Amino acid sequence: MKLRTLAIVCAAVLATAGQGFSAERALRVATSVPHNHYLTKVVKEFAANVTKRTNGEIVFEFYDSGSLVSDQHMDEAVANGTIDIGIASASILAGTVPALNVFAVPFYFDTREKLDRAVLPGTPIRTMLDKRINETGSHALFWIPYGFITMITAGKEVHLPADMNGLKIRTFGTTVSEFVEALDAAPVVTSGGEQFLALQRGIVDGGLTGWPSVEERRLYEVSKYVIATDHMYETHFALMSEKALDAMPGELRAIFREEAAKLEAVLMDRIFDATKHTRDVLSNKMEIIDLTPEEIGQWKQKTAPVAKAFYENGNELARSVFEEAQKLQ
């Protein structure tokens, strides 16, 4: 079938299905991060590959920096059709799929080996989580590795858990906040786009965020230290309405899935390379504190109750995922 004919058929089928998705218009793609951010660049790369494969019949319209949807509502916007594709974090999607908070359990996913055995397609944890995500009305076209989460502080040098006492720390999810509370600090939940102002105005003393965001959100302008805890892993998802994807003709759906799989296959290496680059850049702008094994041991001991609470308070899927995570330790 020629691609132009395919696009016309796709439009007709989807219009009949009432999904509001049409190959004759640009697909709306939303991110909560700036145009030059790693996440926005990744989804634009995916879009460019699909556009090329369809000879321009499928095109995309981008809304970055939370201009259309904030990160807190990204998964809802995909499910209800406000946007066609949205980049949502595991921490946000965990509001619907609590088992995704497993990646925030402190120090359970702190090496590349553990990650490869947990998030690559076909692994037990990935398979269970994909199945549940697909039941939410959104389909994870591909996972976007975001790497380890680190901590920044505006003016206090931190080495030991005791140094955290009383600090106000920006967080972005339930288990992330429990980590901060375990350290006798106060969690302050804010969106990624609010971090800069929160630090600048003294609303928080520091924050937890991905390495790319420290550079790309210019957080080095309002914070002095990076404490390389690297205690949790964050992933994002390129979400698309499951109904819209399923309503596509098989040939077009195959193109989306093939391009998604090809891109995801290179992203883990890419994020680790990007993290190394970011560290090099930040070393000239901030003081990076690499914790010693002995110091890490104290952080692990202090935050161990977070893992216990995750398991005891989790639903059946969360407990199953956690049990698989324990096998990786």
Side-chain angles (χ1 to χ4, degrees), residues 79-133:
N80 66 29
T82 300
I83 54 175
D84 298 300
I85 296 174
I87 305 304
S89 71
S91 298
I92 296 300
L93 194 52
T96 303
V97 184
L100 285 167
N101 273 324
V102 71
F103 295 117
V105 173
F107 305 103
Y108 263 53
F109 298 93
D110 54 356
T111 69
R112 173 68 184 271
E113 180 185 3
K114 292 178 184 178
L115 291 175
D116 285 344
R117 294 169 61 193
V119 303
L120 294 182
T123 56
I125 291 176
R126 169 69 177 266
T127 300
M128 287 189 285
L129 292 174
D130 267 339
K131 182 178 183 295
R132 178 65 186 95
I133 292 170

Side-chain angles (χ1 to χ4, degrees), residues 1-2 37 42 75 128 158 170-171 179 204 209 245 249 293 303:
M1 182 183 291
K2 294 183 179 179
H37 193 281
V42 167
D75 57 328
M128 287 189 285
V158 171
R170 178 260 172 174
T171 68
F179 168 79
V204 296
T209 193
L245 189 64
T303 60

Side-chain angles (χ1 to χ4, degrees), residues 5-17 21-24 249 252:
T5 302
L6 172 63
I8 294 172
V9 172
C10 176
V13 170
L14 291 171
T16 301
F21 175 95
S22 169
E24 295 178 332
L252 183 58

Side-chain angles (χ1 to χ4, degrees), residues 10 13-14 19 21 27 46 84-85 134 137-142 238-257 260:
C10 176
V13 170
L14 291 171
Q19 298 304 313
F21 175 95
L27 301 184
F46 168 75
D84 298 300
I85 296 174
N134 291 347
S138 297
H139 179 83
L141 285 173
F142 57 98
L239 297 178
M240 185 172 183
S241 165
E242 182 72 17
K243 291 181 180 178
L245 189 64
D246 286 348
M248 286 181 176
E251 187 175 346
L252 183 58
R253 187 165 59 247
I255 289 174
F256 270 67
R257 287 178 166 155

Side-chain angles (χ1 to χ4, degrees), residues 154-197:
K156 184 173 182 178
E157 189 169 341
V158 171
H159 289 268
L160 300 173
D163 299 330
M164 295 288 292
N165 188 23
L167 294 182
K168 299 186 296 294
I169 302 296
R170 178 260 172 174
T171 68
F172 47 87
T174 303
T175 306
V176 184
S177 294
E178 290 173 356
F179 168 79
V180 170
E181 290 172 339
L183 296 166
D184 300 317
V188 180
V189 178
T190 66
S191 69
E194 296 171 333
Q195 289 180 88
F196 188 97
L197 287 178

